[in-house]
């Protein structure tokens, strides 16, 4: 669950794992927090993280509050008649958004972080329509000798429409790698177009 809150006079987003969550949910949430903080420290295109706290028995991630996601931006372009028709983005907008995502992914991949859940809902926009990547709940840390954290979402998690073949069937298509995020980026670009 994500809420807006006041933190030292600033409005922030608080992602909360409710009290009573299972130990495995807590471990997964804390792993997400570690990945999000590492990404925030090393990547200008990652959501800004401020802290991780226990509040009333709940684990909370405190992060910058962004006005909307790319999903909400695209959704706001729907025809008012209720149809699924969306006013297309200008070519320059698609190129700009794609370049922003590529820069962020380049920084993350240089640090060995593979997002694994790149989609319009996890691409947040600031007031200047600059995109940042958020939600590192499925992120994997990869280096030349080992893969840590979750390396496939075949068993669950992730959004099927954006999942690369290796996330659906790692036995056939191999391990998660930076190519996994590039597949998802291709899906996002198609959606923008």
């Amino acid at each position: 669950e994500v809420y807006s809150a006041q933190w030292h006079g600033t409005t922030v987003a608080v992602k909360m794992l409710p009290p009573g969550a299972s130990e495995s949910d807590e471990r997964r949430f804390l792993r997400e927090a570690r990945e999000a903080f590492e990404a925030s420290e090393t990547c200008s295109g990652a959501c800004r993280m401020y802290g991780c706290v226990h509040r009333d028995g709940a684990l909370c991630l405190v992060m910058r509050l962004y006005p909307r996601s790319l999903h909400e931006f695209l959704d706001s372009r729907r025809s008012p008649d209720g149809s699924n028709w969306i006013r297309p983005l200008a070519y320059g907008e698609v190129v700009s958004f794609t370049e922003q995502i590529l820069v962020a992914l380049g920084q993350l991949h240089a640090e060995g972080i593979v997002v694994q859940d790149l989609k319009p809902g996890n691409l947040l926009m600031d007031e200047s329509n600059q995109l940042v990547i958020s939600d590192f709940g499925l992120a994997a840390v990869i280096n030349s000798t080992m893969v840590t954290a979750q390396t496939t979402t075949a068993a669950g998690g992730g959004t099927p429409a954006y999942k690369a073949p290796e996330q659906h069937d790692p036995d056939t298509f191999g391990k998660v790698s930076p190519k996994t995020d590039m597949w998802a980026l291709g899906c996002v670009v198609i959606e923008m177009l």
Side-chain angles (χ1 to χ4, degrees):
E1 298 176 14
V2 180
Y3 301 93
S4 64
Q6 289 297 309
W7 184 68
H8 299 290
T10 302
T11 303
V12 295
V14 177
K15 186 173 186 177
M16 184 178 86
L17 182 65
S22 70
E23 283 186 34
S24 67
D25 285 340
E26 284 190 20
R27 280 192 305 274
R28 200 170 22 252
F29 192 80
L30 289 171
R31 187 183 63 74
E32 176 183 354
R34 280 191 303 276
E35 297 304 326
F37 277 101
E38 182 177 338
S40 181
E41 291 293 316
T42 60
C43 175
S44 62
C47 177
R48 295 297 100 201
M49 303 301 295
Y50 299 129
C52 185
V53 297
H54 267 99
R55 176 83 184 205
D56 300 327
L59 279 171
C60 301
L61 283 176
V62 182
M63 60 196 83
R64 179 174 173 194
L65 179 66
Y66 293 85
R68 61 185 168 182
S69 67
L70 179 59
H71 173 78
E72 292 164 331
F73 176 74
L74 294 173
D75 209 40
S76 73
R77 301 174 65 82
R78 284 197 188 283
S79 173
D81 67 8
S83 70
N84 283 332
W85 183 81
I86 296 176
R87 289 186 326 265
L89 294 178
Y91 178 73
E93 288 178 294
V94 174
V95 170
S96 175
F97 289 151
T98 303
E99 287 176 341
Q100 291 173 43
I101 300 165
L102 281 168
V103 168
L105 287 176
Q107 293 171 345
L108 291 169
H109 293 165
E111 295 297 322
I113 299 171
V114 177
V115 178
Q116 289 201 91
D117 198 18
L118 190 71
K119 61 184 179 180
N122 289 341
L123 292 164
L124 304 181
M125 299 178 93
D126 69 12
E127 298 76 11
S128 303
N129 287 346
Q130 296 297 302
L131 295 174
V132 296
I133 297 172
S134 70
D135 198 339
F136 291 87
L138 297 177
V141 179
I142 299 176
N143 66 31
S144 60
T145 59
M146 62 183 275
V147 177
T148 60
Q150 185 171 339
T151 58
T152 178
T153 55
T159 305
Y162 302 91
K163 287 168 78 170
E166 60 272 19
Q167 291 177 286
H168 289 285
D169 186 358
D171 294 333
T172 302
F173 296 103
K175 293 181 179 182
V176 165
S177 73
K179 292 178 185 179
T180 305
D181 289 340
M182 298 310 291
W183 175 281
L185 174 58
C187 296
V188 170
V189 171
I190 289 168
E191 190 167 342
M192 288 191 291
L193 291 171

